[in-house]
Amino acid sequence: MLIVTATLFSFGYNAATAGRAGEPAGLRFVPADGIRTRYRQWGGGGPPVVLVHGAAESADTWERVAGLLAAHRRVYALDVTGWGYSQRRGPYDAEHEAAQLLGFLDALHLDRATLVGHSTGAAVVAAAALRAPGRVGGLVFLDGDALDTGAGAGADALKRVLPNPYRTTLLRLAVRSDWVIRKIYGSQCGPACPRLDAAGVDRWRRPLQVTGAEHALWSMRGIVGLPAARLAALTRVAVPKKVIFGAEDDVFSRSSPYDTAKLIGAPAPTIIPGARHLSLISHPDQVAAAIITGPGG
C-alpha cells in the first residue's frame, strides 16, 4: 500500500510540476565548440581572466570575485554545459567541457588567458591547458583538486536505487524548497556569506528547472575530473600555476591543497582562513588578491 501510494503521489506531483522555467532576460550567449554558451563579462582592460565554475554553479557564482578582478583585468565567466543556462550537450566530462572552454576562448578571441577553475571547474581548466598549453597564460585551481576520485560510482548507484518517477520527485522537492537551497548554501559557504534572499535562492534554483536540466543531471557520471597521471602532466606545461583553498573546506582533506600543488608543479598553496568550499562567495577579496598577485597574476 505504501509503494502504491508513493507511486501515485510521485506521478501526480511530477505531472503538476512538469512546467520548465524560462531563462532570465538579458543573458549573453556565444557559440563555443558548437554549444550555445551563456557568459558574463566584467572590466575593459588588462590581460584576460576566464572563470570556470563547479558543479551546481553558474557564471553568477563568480560575481563577487569578478567585480574585484575587473579593476585590473578583463574578466569572463561562462556556464559550463550541464549547468547554468548554456545548452545541455553531453558527455559531461572534463574533456568535453574543456573543448567548450577552448571554443569560448576562440569565440571571444582570448589569447593567453589566465584560467581559474572552482571545484570541479579545476579539472576543466586543467584539461584545457593540457590540450592547448599555448592558449593559456596561467592556471588557478580554487577549492578543487581536479581529480576524478569516485567518478561514476555515486551517480550510477543512485540511479539504480532511485528509478523514475521517484528520483524526479525527490529532485523537484529539493529544488523547490527554499530551506534546502539555503541549507546547502550555508553549509558550503559559512557564516561569512551573505544570506540568500528570494532573488538569491532563484539564482541557484532556476538553472536546475530549465528545459533539459534534469536529463543532463541524470546523464552525469559523478565527479568531473582527471586521472592523477594525466593531471601530473601539468608539470610539463610551462605556465604559472596557483592553488587556492579555503582552510575550512570539508569537501577535501586538509592535505589536498598541498598534494595538489605538488602534483601539478605549483608553488605552495594559498590557504584562506575561515573559508569553506565556496570561498569565492565568502572571501572574494582574498580570492581575487590571490589570483592576481604573485606568479601568474
Coordinates of all heavy atoms in Angstrom, one line a residue, residues 145-157 220-228 252:
D145 N 40.7 19.9 -6.6 CA 42.0 19.1 -6.9 C 42.0 18.6 -8.3 O 43.1 18.0 -8.7 CB 42.2 18.0 -5.9 CG 41.1 16.9 -5.9 OD1 40.2 17.0 -6.8 OD2 41.1 16.0 -5.1
A146 N 40.9 18.7 -9.1 CA 40.9 18.3 -10.5 C 40.9 16.8 -10.7 O 41.0 16.3 -11.8 CB 41.9 19.0 -11.3
L147 N 40.9 16.0 -9.6 CA 41.0 14.6 -9.7 C 39.6 13.9 -10.0 O 38.6 14.5 -9.6 CB 41.6 14.0 -8.5 CG 43.1 14.3 -8.2 CD1 43.5 13.8 -6.9 CD2 43.9 13.6 -9.3
D148 N 39.6 12.7 -10.5 CA 38.4 12.0 -10.9 C 38.0 11.0 -9.8 O 37.2 10.1 -10.0 CB 38.5 11.3 -12.2 CG 39.6 10.2 -12.2 OD1 40.3 10.2 -11.2 OD2 39.7 9.5 -13.2
T149 N 38.4 11.3 -8.5 CA 38.2 10.4 -7.4 C 36.7 10.1 -7.3 O 35.9 11.0 -7.1 CB 38.7 11.0 -6.1 OG1 40.1 11.4 -6.3 CG2 38.7 10.0 -5.0
G150 N 36.4 8.8 -7.3 CA 35.0 8.4 -7.1 C 34.1 8.6 -8.3 O 32.8 8.5 -8.2
A151 N 34.6 9.0 -9.4 CA 33.7 9.4 -10.6 C 32.9 8.2 -11.0 O 33.4 7.1 -11.1 CB 34.6 9.9 -11.7
G152 N 31.6 8.4 -11.2 CA 30.7 7.4 -11.7 C 30.0 6.6 -10.7 O 28.8 6.4 -10.8
A153 N 30.6 6.1 -9.7 CA 30.0 5.2 -8.7 C 28.8 5.8 -8.0 O 27.8 5.1 -8.0 CB 31.1 4.8 -7.7
G154 N 28.9 7.0 -7.5 CA 27.8 7.6 -6.7 C 26.6 7.8 -7.6 O 25.5 7.4 -7.2
A155 N 26.7 8.4 -8.7 CA 25.6 8.7 -9.6 C 24.9 7.5 -10.1 O 23.7 7.3 -10.1 CB 26.0 9.6 -10.7
D156 N 25.7 6.5 -10.5 CA 25.2 5.3 -11.1 C 24.4 4.5 -10.0 O 23.3 3.9 -10.2 CB 26.3 4.4 -11.6 CG 26.8 4.9 -12.9 OD1 26.2 5.9 -13.5 OD2 27.9 4.5 -13.4
A157 N 24.9 4.4 -8.8 CA 24.3 3.7 -7.7 C 23.0 4.4 -7.3 O 21.9 3.7 -7.1 CB 25.2 3.7 -6.5
M220 N 24.9 12.6 -16.0 CA 26.3 12.8 -15.5 C 26.7 11.6 -14.7 O 25.9 10.8 -14.1 CB 26.3 14.0 -14.6 CG 26.0 15.3 -15.3 SD 26.0 16.8 -14.2 CE 25.4 18.0 -15.3
R221 N 28.0 11.3 -14.7 CA 28.6 10.1 -14.1 C 29.5 10.5 -12.9 O 30.6 10.1 -12.8 CB 29.3 9.3 -15.1 CG 28.5 8.8 -16.3 CD 29.2 7.9 -17.2 NE 29.9 6.8 -16.5 CZ 29.3 5.6 -16.2 NH1 28.0 5.5 -16.5 NH2 30.0 4.7 -15.6
G222 N 28.9 11.3 -12.0 CA 29.7 11.6 -10.8 C 30.6 12.8 -11.0 O 30.3 13.7 -11.7
I223 N 31.8 12.7 -10.4 CA 32.7 13.8 -10.3 C 33.4 14.0 -11.6 O 33.9 13.1 -12.3 CB 33.7 13.5 -9.2 CG1 33.0 13.4 -7.9 CG2 34.8 14.6 -9.2 CD1 33.9 12.9 -6.8
V224 N 33.4 15.3 -12.1 CA 34.2 15.7 -13.2 C 35.7 15.8 -12.8 O 36.0 16.6 -11.9 CB 33.7 17.0 -13.8 CG1 34.6 17.5 -14.9 CG2 32.3 16.8 -14.4
G225 N 36.5 15.1 -13.4 CA 37.9 15.1 -13.0 C 38.8 14.4 -14.0 O 38.4 13.7 -14.9
L226 N 40.1 14.4 -13.7 CA 41.1 13.7 -14.5 C 41.9 12.7 -13.6 O 42.0 12.9 -12.4 CB 42.1 14.7 -15.0 CG 41.5 15.8 -16.0 CD1 42.6 16.8 -16.3 CD2 41.0 15.2 -17.2
P227 N 42.4 11.6 -14.3 CA 43.3 10.7 -13.5 C 44.5 11.4 -13.1 O 45.0 12.3 -13.7 CB 43.6 9.6 -14.6 CG 42.6 9.8 -15.6 CD 42.2 11.2 -15.7
A228 N 45.1 11.0 -11.9 CA 46.2 11.6 -11.4 C 47.4 11.6 -12.3 O 48.1 12.6 -12.4 CB 46.7 10.9 -10.1
F252 N 37.3 18.5 0.8 CA 38.6 17.9 0.6 C 39.3 17.7 2.0 O 39.0 18.4 3.0 CB 39.5 18.7 -0.3 CG 38.9 18.9 -1.7 CD1 38.0 19.9 -2.0 CD2 39.2 17.9 -2.7 CE1 37.5 20.0 -3.3 CE2 38.6 18.0 -3.9 CZ 37.8 19.1 -4.3

